[in-house]
């Protein structure tokens, strides 16, 4: 079972969730509103294509960043060993600032908080195993182009674009649920 978070008009998976109704959205729900309406350990994979850049900067009342809240929620609805895949525009690419609805701008290193538990441990969040964090210099951000028009994608992929364009991240929910690091750095120090 695959959940597409922020599915828009074309769903990648069995269940689509978006805050706007469409035939692809099996569930109309704001992903900032946690918990999502699914039991624990429901899905084998969660995907989110070109959505995280639309999230407002900031976090909840406790100061937990929205991105960490969402990734933690994906963790909850994933089975052990399940994967979270997402792609976002690269901050140095053309599309990052080319859409007035974009609220966040990313470079690959920014996501290392999600898999690197040894650094900046004051951020409370689940620690994932990293499968990959890749930068593409062209425009494979539309998963449906890659899936349904692979020849187009292959031709465009050979063109000599010079700027990073999109970041792809794949994370795995490791079998052992390491607790989120606490916020109090001083505790036990
Ligand atoms: C650029 S579109 C991408 C749509 C689709 N994933 C695709 O690749 O074609 C961004 C989508 O994220 C959804 N979205 C943005 N913020 C959201 C939120 N807080 N809750 C649910 N959906 C959200 C929007 O409604 C929109 O459908």
């Amino acid at each position: 079972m695959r959940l597409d978070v922020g599915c828009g008009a074309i769903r990648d998976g069995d269940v689509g969730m978006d805050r706007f109704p469409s035939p692809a959205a099996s569930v109309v729900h704001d992903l900032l509103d946690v918990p999502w309406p699914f039991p624990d350990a429901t899905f084998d994979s969660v995907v989110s294509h070109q959505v995280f850049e639309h999230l407002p900067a900031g976090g909840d009342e406790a100061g937990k960043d929205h991105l960490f809240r969402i990734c933690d929620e994906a963790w909850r609805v994933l089975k052990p060993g399940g994967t979270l895949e997402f792609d976002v525009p690269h901050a140095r690419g053309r599309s990052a600032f080319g859409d007035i609805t974009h609220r966040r701008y990313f470079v690959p290193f920014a996501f290392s908080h999600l898999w690197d538990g040894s650094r900046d441990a004051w951020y409370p969040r689940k620690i994932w195993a990293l499968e990959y964090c890749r930068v593409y210099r062209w425009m494979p951000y539309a998963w449906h182009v890659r899936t349904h028009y692979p020849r187009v994608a292959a031709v465009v992929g050979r063109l000599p674009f010079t700027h990073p364009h999109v970041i792809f991240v794949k994370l795995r929910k490791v079998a052992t649920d390491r607790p989120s690091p606490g916020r109090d750095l001083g505790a036990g120090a």
Side-chain angles (χ1 to χ4, degrees), residues 25-157:
S26 347
V27 177
V28 176
H29 186 85
D30 190 318
L31 65 101
L32 291 173
D33 183 6
V34 295
W36 299 341
F38 310 108
D40 296 1
T42 303
F43 299 99
D44 303 292
S45 81
V46 175
V47 296
S48 193
H49 304 295
Q50 301 285 311
V51 176
F52 289 177
E53 70 275 16
H54 295 273
L55 300 177
D60 64 13
E61 300 82 20
K64 186 167 180 171
D65 189 89
H66 292 317
L67 200 64
F68 291 153
R69 289 172 61 217
I70 284 162
C71 290
D72 282 6
E73 188 59 7
W75 177 289
R76 183 186 68 78
V77 301
L78 278 170
K79 296 174 184 170
T83 58
L84 168 63
E85 291 171 77
F86 60 87
D87 49 83
V88 294
H90 193 295
R92 285 171 48 218
R94 278 168 301 145
S95 70
F97 290 90
D99 183 335
I100 203 166
T101 66
H102 288 175
R103 298 281 181 269
R104 290 177 177 232
Y105 305 94
F106 302 104
V107 291
F109 188 65
F111 293 113
S112 64
H113 293 294
L114 294 169
W115 61 82
D116 182 355
S118 63
R119 196 169 56 83
D120 298 336
W122 53 86
Y123 294 124
R125 83 288 192 203
K126 301 294 186 194
I127 307 294
W128 301 76
L130 175 67
E131 294 276 312
Y132 57 72
C133 178
R134 295 180 184 143
V135 173
Y136 281 72
R137 292 188 177 274
W138 58 291
M139 43 71 75
Y141 49 80
W143 69 268
H144 24 92
V145 172
R146 282 180 289 131
T147 305
H148 300 297
Y149 306 100
R151 284 184 175 169
V152 174
V155 170
V156 178

